PDB file of all heavy atoms in Angstrom:
ATOM      1  N   GLU A 131     -84.830 -41.169  18.469  1.00 83.00           N
ATOM      2  CA  GLU A 131     -85.497 -40.021  17.736  1.00 83.00           C
ATOM      3  C   GLU A 131     -86.008 -40.513  16.424  1.00 83.00           C
ATOM      4  O   GLU A 131     -85.325 -41.182  15.682  1.00 83.00           O
ATOM      5  CB  GLU A 131     -84.475 -38.947  17.540  1.00 83.00           C
ATOM      6  CG  GLU A 131     -85.040 -37.585  17.172  1.00 83.00           C
ATOM      7  CD  GLU A 131     -83.998 -36.531  17.176  1.00 83.00           C
ATOM      8  OE1 GLU A 131     -83.369 -36.374  16.072  1.00 83.00           O
ATOM      9  OE2 GLU A 131     -83.840 -35.890  18.187  1.00 83.00           O
ATOM     10  N   LEU A 132     -87.299 -40.158  16.155  1.00 82.00           N
ATOM     11  CA  LEU A 132     -87.881 -40.467  14.889  1.00 82.00           C
ATOM     12  C   LEU A 132     -88.162 -39.119  14.157  1.00 82.00           C
ATOM     13  O   LEU A 132     -88.908 -38.372  14.651  1.00 82.00           O
ATOM     14  CB  LEU A 132     -89.210 -41.203  15.115  1.00 82.00           C
ATOM     15  CG  LEU A 132     -89.994 -41.649  13.935  1.00 82.00           C
ATOM     16  CD1 LEU A 132     -89.333 -42.739  13.163  1.00 82.00           C
ATOM     17  CD2 LEU A 132     -91.390 -42.095  14.296  1.00 82.00           C
ATOM     18  N   ILE A 133     -87.468 -39.021  13.007  1.00 84.00           N
ATOM     19  CA  ILE A 133     -87.549 -37.730  12.321  1.00 84.00           C
ATOM     20  C   ILE A 133     -88.442 -37.929  11.074  1.00 84.00           C
ATOM     21  O   ILE A 133     -88.222 -38.843  10.305  1.00 84.00           O
ATOM     22  CB  ILE A 133     -86.168 -37.245  11.910  1.00 84.00           C
ATOM     23  CG1 ILE A 133     -85.320 -36.983  13.153  1.00 84.00           C
ATOM     24  CG2 ILE A 133     -86.254 -36.005  11.011  1.00 84.00           C
ATOM     25  CD1 ILE A 133     -83.868 -36.702  12.860  1.00 84.00           C
ATOM     26  N   VAL A 134     -89.373 -37.008  10.941  1.00 86.00           N
ATOM     27  CA  VAL A 134     -90.206 -36.951   9.742  1.00 86.00           C
ATOM     28  C   VAL A 134     -90.069 -35.523   9.117  1.00 86.00           C
ATOM     29  O   VAL A 134     -90.335 -34.563   9.855  1.00 86.00           O
ATOM     30  CB  VAL A 134     -91.765 -37.202  10.136  1.00 86.00           C
ATOM     31  CG1 VAL A 134     -92.602 -37.070   8.851  1.00 86.00           C
ATOM     32  CG2 VAL A 134     -91.944 -38.558  10.796  1.00 86.00           C
ATOM     33  N   GLU A 135     -89.731 -35.566   7.886  1.00 87.00           N
ATOM     34  CA  GLU A 135     -89.536 -34.266   7.102  1.00 87.00           C
ATOM     35  C   GLU A 135     -90.856 -33.973   6.303  1.00 87.00           C
ATOM     36  O   GLU A 135     -91.538 -35.006   5.910  1.00 87.00           O
ATOM     37  CB  GLU A 135     -88.382 -34.358   6.239  1.00 87.00           C
ATOM     38  CG  GLU A 135     -87.051 -34.537   6.947  1.00 87.00           C
ATOM     39  CD  GLU A 135     -85.922 -34.572   5.996  1.00 87.00           C
ATOM     40  OE1 GLU A 135     -85.958 -34.120   4.862  1.00 87.00           O
ATOM     41  OE2 GLU A 135     -84.915 -35.148   6.475  1.00 87.00           O
ATOM     42  N   PHE A 136     -91.190 -32.762   6.243  1.00 86.00           N
ATOM     43  CA  PHE A 136     -92.394 -32.319   5.404  1.00 86.00           C
ATOM     44  C   PHE A 136     -91.945 -31.469   4.280  1.00 86.00           C
ATOM     45  O   PHE A 136     -91.099 -30.596   4.403  1.00 86.00           O
ATOM     46  CB  PHE A 136     -93.385 -31.593   6.271  1.00 86.00           C
ATOM     47  CG  PHE A 136     -93.993 -32.410   7.363  1.00 86.00           C
ATOM     48  CD1 PHE A 136     -93.413 -32.670   8.527  1.00 86.00           C
ATOM     49  CD2 PHE A 136     -95.299 -32.974   7.085  1.00 86.00           C
ATOM     50  CE1 PHE A 136     -94.051 -33.496   9.498  1.00 86.00           C
ATOM     51  CE2 PHE A 136     -95.914 -33.803   8.057  1.00 86.00           C
ATOM     52  CZ  PHE A 136     -95.241 -34.050   9.252  1.00 86.00           C
ATOM     53  N   GLY A 137     -92.575 -31.622   3.123  1.00 84.00           N
ATOM     54  CA  GLY A 137     -92.333 -30.803   1.939  1.00 84.00           C
ATOM     55  C   GLY A 137     -93.048 -29.516   2.030  1.00 84.00           C
ATOM     56  O   GLY A 137     -93.817 -29.252   2.972  1.00 84.00           O
ATOM     57  N   GLU A 138     -92.827 -28.562   0.986  1.00 81.00           N
ATOM     58  CA  GLU A 138     -93.482 -27.347   1.030  1.00 81.00           C
ATOM     59  C   GLU A 138     -94.984 -27.392   1.081  1.00 81.00           C
ATOM     60  O   GLU A 138     -95.654 -26.489   1.580  1.00 81.00           O
ATOM     61  CB  GLU A 138     -93.017 -26.614  -0.262  1.00 81.00           C
ATOM     62  CG  GLU A 138     -91.590 -26.112  -0.280  1.00 81.00           C
ATOM     63  CD  GLU A 138     -91.197 -25.506  -1.596  1.00 81.00           C
ATOM     64  OE1 GLU A 138     -92.085 -24.978  -2.318  1.00 81.00           O
ATOM     65  OE2 GLU A 138     -90.007 -25.471  -1.915  1.00 81.00           O
ATOM     66  N   ASN A 139     -95.572 -28.415   0.540  1.00 81.00           N
ATOM     67  CA  ASN A 139     -96.991 -28.547   0.413  1.00 81.00           C
ATOM     68  C   ASN A 139     -97.592 -29.208   1.665  1.00 81.00           C
ATOM     69  O   ASN A 139     -98.770 -29.604   1.618  1.00 81.00           O
ATOM     70  CB  ASN A 139     -97.396 -29.258  -0.829  1.00 81.00           C
ATOM     71  CG  ASN A 139     -96.666 -30.644  -1.004  1.00 81.00           C
ATOM     72  OD1 ASN A 139     -95.859 -31.012  -0.048  1.00 81.00           O
ATOM     73  ND2 ASN A 139     -96.783 -31.335  -2.066  1.00 81.00           N
ATOM     74  N   GLY A 140     -96.760 -29.432   2.691  1.00 81.00           N
ATOM     75  CA  GLY A 140     -97.269 -30.007   3.919  1.00 81.00           C
ATOM     76  C   GLY A 140     -97.384 -31.614   3.918  1.00 81.00           C
ATOM     77  O   GLY A 140     -97.966 -32.130   4.865  1.00 81.00           O
ATOM     78  N   ILE A 141     -96.836 -32.188   2.897  1.00 82.00           N
ATOM     79  CA  ILE A 141     -96.976 -33.618   2.785  1.00 82.00           C
ATOM     80  C   ILE A 141     -95.679 -34.200   3.484  1.00 82.00           C
ATOM     81  O   ILE A 141     -94.588 -33.764   3.139  1.00 82.00           O
ATOM     82  CB  ILE A 141     -97.015 -34.104   1.267  1.00 82.00           C
ATOM     83  CG1 ILE A 141     -98.349 -33.550   0.705  1.00 82.00           C
ATOM     84  CG2 ILE A 141     -96.827 -35.541   1.135  1.00 82.00           C
ATOM     85  CD1 ILE A 141     -98.455 -33.821  -0.751  1.00 82.00           C
ATOM     86  N   PRO A 142     -95.861 -35.249   4.272  1.00 85.00           N
ATOM     87  CA  PRO A 142     -94.610 -35.861   4.834  1.00 85.00           C
ATOM     88  C   PRO A 142     -93.825 -36.521   3.754  1.00 85.00           C
ATOM     89  O   PRO A 142     -94.287 -37.222   2.894  1.00 85.00           O
ATOM     90  CB  PRO A 142     -95.240 -36.908   5.808  1.00 85.00           C
ATOM     91  CG  PRO A 142     -96.603 -37.064   5.455  1.00 85.00           C
ATOM     92  CD  PRO A 142     -97.064 -35.904   4.679  1.00 85.00           C
ATOM     93  N   PHE A 143     -92.524 -36.294   3.830  1.00 83.00           N
ATOM     94  CA  PHE A 143     -91.558 -36.925   2.921  1.00 83.00           C
ATOM     95  C   PHE A 143     -90.932 -38.123   3.583  1.00 83.00           C
ATOM     96  O   PHE A 143     -90.254 -37.944   4.573  1.00 83.00           O
ATOM     97  CB  PHE A 143     -90.473 -35.908   2.523  1.00 83.00           C
ATOM     98  CG  PHE A 143     -89.410 -36.590   1.672  1.00 83.00           C
ATOM     99  CD1 PHE A 143     -89.584 -36.954   0.325  1.00 83.00           C
ATOM    100  CD2 PHE A 143     -88.192 -36.820   2.258  1.00 83.00           C
ATOM    101  CE1 PHE A 143     -88.620 -37.539  -0.385  1.00 83.00           C
ATOM    102  CE2 PHE A 143     -87.138 -37.453   1.434  1.00 83.00           C
ATOM    103  CZ  PHE A 143     -87.367 -37.745   0.138  1.00 83.00           C
ATOM    104  N   ILE A 144     -91.241 -39.252   3.096  1.00 81.00           N
ATOM    105  CA  ILE A 144     -90.807 -40.543   3.725  1.00 81.00           C
ATOM    106  C   ILE A 144     -89.727 -41.128   2.759  1.00 81.00           C
ATOM    107  O   ILE A 144     -90.082 -41.648   1.656  1.00 81.00           O
ATOM    108  CB  ILE A 144     -91.883 -41.544   3.895  1.00 81.00           C
ATOM    109  CG1 ILE A 144     -93.112 -40.904   4.583  1.00 81.00           C
ATOM    110  CG2 ILE A 144     -91.439 -42.772   4.693  1.00 81.00           C
ATOM    111  CD1 ILE A 144     -92.912 -40.300   5.916  1.00 81.00           C
ATOM    112  N   GLU A 145     -88.482 -40.970   3.137  1.00 81.00           N
ATOM    113  CA  GLU A 145     -87.403 -41.390   2.240  1.00 81.00           C
ATOM    114  C   GLU A 145     -87.369 -42.936   1.972  1.00 81.00           C
ATOM    115  O   GLU A 145     -87.582 -43.676   2.957  1.00 81.00           O
ATOM    116  CB  GLU A 145     -85.986 -40.993   2.768  1.00 81.00           C
ATOM    117  CG  GLU A 145     -84.923 -41.159   1.891  1.00 81.00           C
ATOM    118  CD  GLU A 145     -83.604 -40.508   2.357  1.00 81.00           C
ATOM    119  OE1 GLU A 145     -83.673 -39.594   3.119  1.00 81.00           O
ATOM    120  OE2 GLU A 145     -82.518 -41.023   1.981  1.00 81.00           O
ATOM    121  N   PRO A 146     -87.277 -43.339   0.747  1.00 76.00           N
ATOM    122  CA  PRO A 146     -87.282 -44.774   0.463  1.00 76.00           C
ATOM    123  C   PRO A 146     -86.054 -45.472   1.077  1.00 76.00           C
ATOM    124  O   PRO A 146     -85.023 -44.912   1.158  1.00 76.00           O
ATOM    125  CB  PRO A 146     -87.153 -44.845  -1.070  1.00 76.00           C
ATOM    126  CG  PRO A 146     -87.234 -43.424  -1.579  1.00 76.00           C
ATOM    127  CD  PRO A 146     -87.098 -42.503  -0.473  1.00 76.00           C
ATOM    128  N   VAL A 147     -86.337 -46.703   1.515  1.00 79.00           N
ATOM    129  CA  VAL A 147     -85.282 -47.544   2.022  1.00 79.00           C
ATOM    130  C   VAL A 147     -85.398 -48.896   1.358  1.00 79.00           C
ATOM    131  O   VAL A 147     -86.397 -49.561   1.447  1.00 79.00           O
ATOM    132  CB  VAL A 147     -85.413 -47.849   3.556  1.00 79.00           C
ATOM    133  CG1 VAL A 147     -84.368 -48.700   4.099  1.00 79.00           C
ATOM    134  CG2 VAL A 147     -85.443 -46.451   4.323  1.00 79.00           C
ATOM    135  N   GLU A 148     -84.399 -49.232   0.477  1.00 80.00           N
ATOM    136  CA  GLU A 148     -84.532 -50.363  -0.407  1.00 80.00           C
ATOM    137  C   GLU A 148     -84.695 -51.719   0.403  1.00 80.00           C
ATOM    138  O   GLU A 148     -85.437 -52.609  -0.069  1.00 80.00           O
ATOM    139  CB  GLU A 148     -83.200 -50.452  -1.231  1.00 80.00           C
ATOM    140  CG  GLU A 148     -83.299 -51.492  -2.300  1.00 80.00           C
ATOM    141  CD  GLU A 148     -82.102 -51.456  -3.228  1.00 80.00           C
ATOM    142  OE1 GLU A 148     -81.659 -50.342  -3.519  1.00 80.00           O
ATOM    143  OE2 GLU A 148     -81.709 -52.569  -3.627  1.00 80.00           O
ATOM    144  N   GLU A 149     -84.144 -51.773   1.606  1.00 86.00           N
ATOM    145  CA  GLU A 149     -84.267 -53.058   2.307  1.00 86.00           C
ATOM    146  C   GLU A 149     -85.507 -53.179   3.118  1.00 86.00           C
ATOM    147  O   GLU A 149     -85.711 -54.146   3.789  1.00 86.00           O
ATOM    148  CB  GLU A 149     -83.068 -53.192   3.304  1.00 86.00           C
ATOM    149  CG  GLU A 149     -81.681 -53.277   2.548  1.00 86.00           C
ATOM    150  CD  GLU A 149     -81.118 -51.923   2.124  1.00 86.00           C
ATOM    151  OE1 GLU A 149     -81.558 -50.850   2.787  1.00 86.00           O
ATOM    152  OE2 GLU A 149     -80.349 -51.793   1.177  1.00 86.00           O
ATOM    153  N   ALA A 150     -86.415 -52.157   3.151  1.00 85.00           N
ATOM    154  CA  ALA A 150     -87.631 -52.160   3.954  1.00 85.00           C
ATOM    155  C   ALA A 150     -88.571 -53.274   3.511  1.00 85.00           C
ATOM    156  O   ALA A 150     -88.784 -53.510   2.313  1.00 85.00           O
ATOM    157  CB  ALA A 150     -88.285 -50.830   3.811  1.00 85.00           C
ATOM    158  N   ARG A 151     -89.029 -54.068   4.471  1.00 87.00           N
ATOM    159  CA  ARG A 151     -90.040 -55.166   4.159  1.00 87.00           C
ATOM    160  C   ARG A 151     -91.082 -55.047   5.234  1.00 87.00           C
ATOM    161  O   ARG A 151     -90.882 -54.869   6.392  1.00 87.00           O
ATOM    162  CB  ARG A 151     -89.387 -56.512   4.326  1.00 87.00           C
ATOM    163  CG  ARG A 151     -88.343 -56.787   3.188  1.00 87.00           C
ATOM    164  CD  ARG A 151     -88.994 -56.975   1.866  1.00 87.00           C
ATOM    165  NE  ARG A 151     -88.001 -57.051   0.732  1.00 87.00           N
ATOM    166  CZ  ARG A 151     -87.809 -56.032  -0.092  1.00 87.00           C
ATOM    167  NH1 ARG A 151     -88.449 -54.920  -0.022  1.00 87.00           N
ATOM    168  NH2 ARG A 151     -86.821 -56.064  -0.987  1.00 87.00           N
ATOM    169  N   LEU A 152     -92.388 -55.179   4.795  1.00 85.00           N
ATOM    170  CA  LEU A 152     -93.484 -55.072   5.630  1.00 85.00           C
ATOM    171  C   LEU A 152     -94.668 -55.880   5.065  1.00 85.00           C
ATOM    172  O   LEU A 152     -95.048 -55.737   3.931  1.00 85.00           O
ATOM    173  CB  LEU A 152     -93.935 -53.604   5.801  1.00 85.00           C
ATOM    174  CG  LEU A 152     -95.013 -53.230   6.805  1.00 85.00           C
ATOM    175  CD1 LEU A 152     -94.500 -53.602   8.251  1.00 85.00           C
ATOM    176  CD2 LEU A 152     -95.366 -51.846   6.749  1.00 85.00           C
TER     177      LEU A 152
END
Side-chain angles (χ1 to χ4, degrees):
E131 192 172 89
L132 181 69
I133 298 172
V134 178
E135 297 179 22
F136 290 84
E138 293 177 19
N139 51 5
I141 295 176
F143 173 72
I144 313 299
E145 188 169 336
V147 178
E148 189 173 321
E149 297 81 23
R151 295 289 171 253
L152 187 63

